[in-house]
């Protein structure tokens, strides 16, 4: 008995050549719609789906493959005598190969012009049903949902006298269920957003593998990089690599942290990142000025760092970057001259990323053992909060500008976090400390003499006045912090004693 293949694909890459080779192996081809027309145009002898079902397509093609003559042929277990007798009694033929992928739901909802009705119309029903039937019965039926598998399937059929091993069919079935699960997850995510559910009882999201990584945080850990199908267009996952070695796990984390910093600034800004913490941030009249400030903020820690720029990298900036060892430079673009300079360094990774598109408020998902924590990204800005100034002295205009800068940066530093800034440049960063005054001491020590007349930002309130006292002794003149401690008055009194102005935001910026 001839084997039969059912073919219905939206992604038609390589389908004609694949089916032609199946036909050469004496496999009969059943197809429908646009796939049938494409195959017939190429000279393939095709049996129409209605010839198998004895029933015409209905309701604009919504009902065409949902029929016992299709699913009986897919679900019949060859070794089960009762199944085979039932199929024979009903005149249902077996189907041995299913080559199906699904309506383009993702591309439909990505189109700004598409409507809700367009999205609903592009929810595939028959395709997932056939995929699931074939995958369930994968001992007898080969289900192929990915054009990347065409060659390996053909080679095994050629090498094994027209048969696929159970192991191969099981791998194909596993991929098929991943395919339909991802498809359903995307539909579920879209409809959940449409109805405004913020914390649904089931978290069904999907990611596509972007690349395999050499290893994870450490060489003994396996790792891969996945991206959201409808993710942030301004993200590292959507970046383009122009030059250099393949990105590593740690590179990707640091690059993500660097992009998060520069998205909060409008003028020419450069952020230098080490281990997901900013070690230097600079604002300038030009991107060269900004990079110079970011570099001089901490000339030691920037070595081997990740750099993000929010404007094009020009030749002058590239020449200065070339002087030091950098892992990555990310920017919206590089001038031709800048690329010529930087690509002389074989291993430096150069990435471009779209910083013009609107940044959606994304969910941040953190895995814990046995579960996950989900929250919105912290996008709160200085302009979003109602600040108060409880101290006697109020900040000058220039102090206020530096306060705003430091507060933007401290949001991106691991808690407990303190940032010192002066003249559009961070000069000290205390990150990830178990107590706040400890973080302050680290930032003050790093700043040294530059701390005089600088500003301090804290990601959370001061539980006591010791941090204000440490700031005063270093010559710091302005502080921004959330406030809200039971002992705020002690900090206010200490600030007044030393003539420090202090701004309360009422908002915490913890980052763990």
């Amino acid at each position: 008995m001839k084997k039969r293949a059912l073919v219905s694909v939206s992604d038609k890459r390589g389908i004609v050549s694949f089916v032609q080779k199946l036909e050469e192996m004496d496999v009969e081809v059943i197809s429908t719609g646009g796939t049938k027309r494409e195959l017939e145009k190429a000279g393939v002898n095709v049996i129409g789906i209605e010839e198998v079902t004895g029933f015409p397509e209905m309701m604009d093609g919504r009902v065409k493959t949902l029929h016992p003559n299709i699913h009986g042929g897919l679900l019949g277990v060859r070794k089960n005598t009762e199944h085979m007798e039932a199929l024979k009694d009903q005149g249902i033929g077996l189907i041995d190969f299913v080559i199906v992928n699904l309506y383009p739901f993702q591309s439909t909802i990505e189109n700004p012009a598409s409507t809700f009705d367009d999205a609903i119309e592009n929810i595939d029903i028959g395709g997932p049903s056939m995929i699931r039937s074939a995958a369930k019965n994968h001992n007898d039926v080969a289900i192929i949902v990915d054009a990347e598998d065409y060659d390996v399937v053909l080679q095994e059929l050629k090498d094994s006298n027209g048969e696929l091993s159970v192991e191969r069919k099981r791998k194909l079935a596993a991929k098929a269920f991943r395919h339909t699960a991802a498809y359903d997850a995307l539909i579920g995510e879209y409809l959940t957003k449409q109805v405004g559910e913020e914390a649904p009882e089931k978290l069904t999201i999907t990611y596509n593998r972007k690349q395999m990584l050499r290893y994870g945080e450490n060489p003994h850990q396996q790792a891969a990089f996945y991206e959201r199908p409808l993710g942030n267009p301004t993200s590292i996952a959507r970046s383009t690599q122009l030059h250099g070695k393949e990105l590593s796990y740690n590179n990707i984390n640091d690059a993500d942290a660097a992009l998060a910093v520069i998205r909060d600034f409008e003028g020419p800004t450069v952020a230098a990142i080490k281990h997901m913490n900013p070690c230097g941030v600079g604002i300038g009249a030009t991107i060269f000025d900004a990079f110079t400030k970011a570099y001089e903020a901490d000339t030691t820690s920037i070595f081997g760092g990740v750099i993000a720029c929010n404007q094009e990298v020009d030749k002058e900036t590239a020449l200065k970057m070339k002087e030091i060892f950098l892992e990555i430079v990310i920017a919206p673009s590089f001038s031709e001259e800048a690329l010529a300079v930087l690509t002389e360094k074989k291993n430096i990774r150069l990435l471009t990323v779209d910083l013009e598109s609107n940044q959606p408020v994304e969910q941040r998902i953190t895995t814990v053992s046995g579960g996950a924590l989900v929250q919105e990204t912290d996008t709160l800005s200085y302009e979003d909060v109602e600040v108060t100034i409880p101290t006697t002295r109020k900040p000058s205009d220039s102090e206020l500008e530096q306060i705003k800068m430091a507060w933007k940066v401290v949001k991106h530093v691991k808690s407990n976090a303190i940032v010192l800034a002066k003249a559009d440049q961070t000069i000290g960063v205390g990150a990830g400390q178990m107590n706040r005054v400890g973080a302050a001491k680290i930032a003050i020590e790093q700043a040294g003499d530059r701390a005089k007349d600088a500003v301090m930002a804290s990601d959370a309130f001061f539980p006591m006045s010791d941090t204000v006292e440490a700031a005063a002794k270093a010559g710091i003149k302005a502080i921004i912090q959330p406030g809200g401690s039971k002992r705020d008055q002690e900090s206010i009194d200490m600030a007044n004693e030393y003539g420090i102005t202090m701004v309360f935001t009422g908002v915490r910026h913890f980052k763990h």
Side-chain angles (χ1 to χ4, degrees):
M1 182 184 296
K2 276 190 174 184
K3 291 189 175 183
R4 298 197 301 172
L6 196 161
V7 187
S8 179
V9 293
S10 292
D11 176 6
K12 294 181 172 57
R13 291 176 300 137
I15 191 61
V16 170
S17 174
F18 180 62
V19 172
Q20 285 175 331
K21 288 181 172 61
L22 288 180
E23 192 176 38
E24 289 171 8
M25 297 178 187
D26 206 27
V27 175
E28 287 186 342
V29 178
I30 305 165
S31 191
T32 183
T35 307
K36 180 174 181 285
R37 290 191 293 272
E38 183 108 353
L39 295 174
E40 287 177 332
K41 184 179 177 182
V44 176
N45 185 27
V46 181
I47 301 168
I49 201 83
E50 64 279 358
E51 296 178 58
V52 177
T53 63
F55 210 82
E57 289 187 14
M58 293 177 62
M59 298 180 285
D60 302 318
R62 285 190 171 200
V63 179
K64 52 187 173 184
T65 59
L66 296 170
H67 194 281
N69 285 3
I70 299 298
H71 288 273
L74 296 174
L75 288 166
V77 176
R78 284 22 173 199
K79 292 181 179 179
N80 187 312
T81 304
E82 290 183 5
H83 284 201
M84 293 301 99
E85 288 178 354
L87 292 176
K88 183 178 179 182
D89 289 345
Q90 298 300 323
I92 298 174
L94 297 172
I95 298 173
D96 306 279
F97 301 92
V98 174
I99 303 98
V100 171
N101 48 61
L102 306 173
Y103 289 176
F105 183 80
Q106 179 180 334
S107 60
T108 299
I109 61 176
E110 282 178 327
N111 182 353
S114 70
T115 65
F116 180 79
D117 287 344
D118 292 332
I120 296 303
E121 199 57 38
N122 276 277
I123 296 175
D124 202 325
I125 302 301
S129 299
M130 290 188 291
I131 290 171
R132 289 175 65 83
S133 290
K136 177 175 180 174
N137 197 26
H138 64 267
N139 278 346
D140 295 319
V141 182
I143 171 63
I144 303 148
V145 296
D146 186 353
E148 298 297 323
D149 291 319
Y150 292 167
D151 287 344
V152 71
V153 167
L154 287 171
Q155 188 61 52
E156 187 167 327
L157 288 172
K158 181 180 177 182
D159 294 343
S160 304
N161 195 30
E163 298 293 335
L164 291 178
S165 66
V166 172
E167 291 76 18
R168 173 65 60 196
K169 287 187 282 191
R170 191 159 293 168
K171 284 184 177 181
L172 292 171
K175 178 179 279 192
F177 279 118
R178 293 195 299 271
H179 185 67
T180 56
Y183 190 77
D184 285 341
L186 200 58
I187 295 166
E189 184 179 358
Y190 172 78
L191 290 174
T192 298
K193 287 180 180 177
Q194 292 294 312
V195 299
E197 287 276 3
E198 294 184 356
E201 77 290 346
K202 301 286 186 186
L203 183 63
T204 53
I205 56 175
T206 186
Y207 292 83
N208 297 323
R209 192 177 67 204
K210 185 177 176 72
Q211 70 181 88
M212 292 298 299
L213 301 175
R214 287 174 294 160
Y215 51 81
E217 279 187 289
N218 301 292
H220 61 274
Q221 294 172 272
Q222 292 184 343
F225 183 28
Y226 289 80
E227 66 174 319
R228 291 283 293 272
L230 301 174
N232 182 356
T234 70
S235 67
I236 184 64
R238 299 294 182 91
S239 66
T240 301
Q241 184 166 352
L242 305 180
H243 176 75
K245 294 192 299 184
E246 192 175 78
L247 292 173
S248 72
Y249 181 98
N250 293 328
N251 290 156
I252 293 164
N253 267 324
D254 285 344
D256 182 60
L259 286 172
V261 175
I262 62 167
R263 286 194 202 101
D264 280 347
F265 293 88
E266 293 182 359
T269 305
V270 173
I273 302 293
K274 283 294 284 292
H275 299 292
M276 296 181 68
N277 281 302
C279 59
V281 177
I283 302 171
T286 66
I287 208 68
F288 175 80
D289 293 338
F291 176 73
T292 300
K293 289 179 179 178
Y295 168 67
E296 292 177 350
D298 184 347
T299 57
T300 300
S301 297
I302 198 173
F303 183 85
V306 170
I307 305 298
C309 311
N310 66 353
Q311 293 189 8
E312 181 175 85
V313 174
D314 56 19
K315 182 179 180 181
E316 182 183 26
T317 308
L319 286 167
K320 191 168 184 69
M321 289 176 171
K322 188 183 176 186
E323 295 173 2
I324 58 175
F325 168 57
L326 299 173
E327 287 277 0
I328 301 175
V329 180
I330 315 166
S333 59
F334 296 80
S335 71
E336 289 185 13
E337 296 82 1
L339 272 178
V341 169
L342 291 172
T343 52
E344 290 178 9
K345 304 188 81 167
K346 179 181 177 181
N347 292 329
I348 190 171
R349 301 158 177 91
L350 305 179
L351 308 177
T352 57
V353 67
D354 170 20
L355 294 177
E356 295 297 321
S357 297
N358 291 330
Q359 181 192 359
V361 178
E362 286 191 306
Q363 288 180 324
R364 303 293 292 187
I365 302 171
T366 303
T367 59
V368 296
S369 182
L373 295 169
V374 182
Q375 66 173 347
E376 287 183 348
T377 302
D378 183 0
T379 59
L380 205 68
S381 70
Y382 186 89
E383 290 70 29
D384 295 324
V385 302
E386 192 170 327
V387 302
T388 58
I389 304 170
T391 50
T392 302
R393 190 171 77 79
K394 310 306 177 188
S396 66
D397 289 344
S398 60
E399 285 174 331
L400 194 58
E401 287 306 305
Q402 299 310 303
I403 281 171
K404 289 178 181 179
M405 178 199 178
W407 199 65
K408 287 179 180 180
V409 176
V410 80
K411 180 176 81 172
H412 300 284
V413 180
K414 294 292 182 77
S415 301
N416 287 306
I418 295 288
V419 169
L420 306 186
K422 183 178 178 180
D424 295 334
Q425 175 189 48
T426 58
I427 57 173
V429 178
Q433 297 305 300
M434 284 64 74
N435 63 77
R436 193 150 303 281
V437 71
K441 288 176 179 177
I442 290 171
I444 290 167
E445 181 181 356
Q446 183 187 350
D449 293 339
R450 296 181 295 175
K452 188 176 186 300
D453 297 329
V455 305
M456 171 185 282
S458 174
D459 67 327
F461 66 60
F462 298 148
M464 51 193 72
S465 61
D466 53 356
T467 302
V468 179
E469 185 175 19
K473 289 179 178 179
I476 290 164
K477 292 300 182 183
I479 295 173
I480 184 169
Q481 59 130 325
S485 168
K486 291 180 180 180
R487 300 172 69 174
D488 272 349
Q489 193 58 50
E490 294 178 19
S491 293
I492 295 167
D493 292 343
M494 184 69 71
N496 285 332
E497 180 180 336
Y498 285 97
I500 292 174
T501 181
M502 188 155 58
V503 175
F504 281 3
T505 64
V507 173
R508 188 176 74 185
H509 275 312
F510 269 172
K511 184 182 180 188
H512 291 97

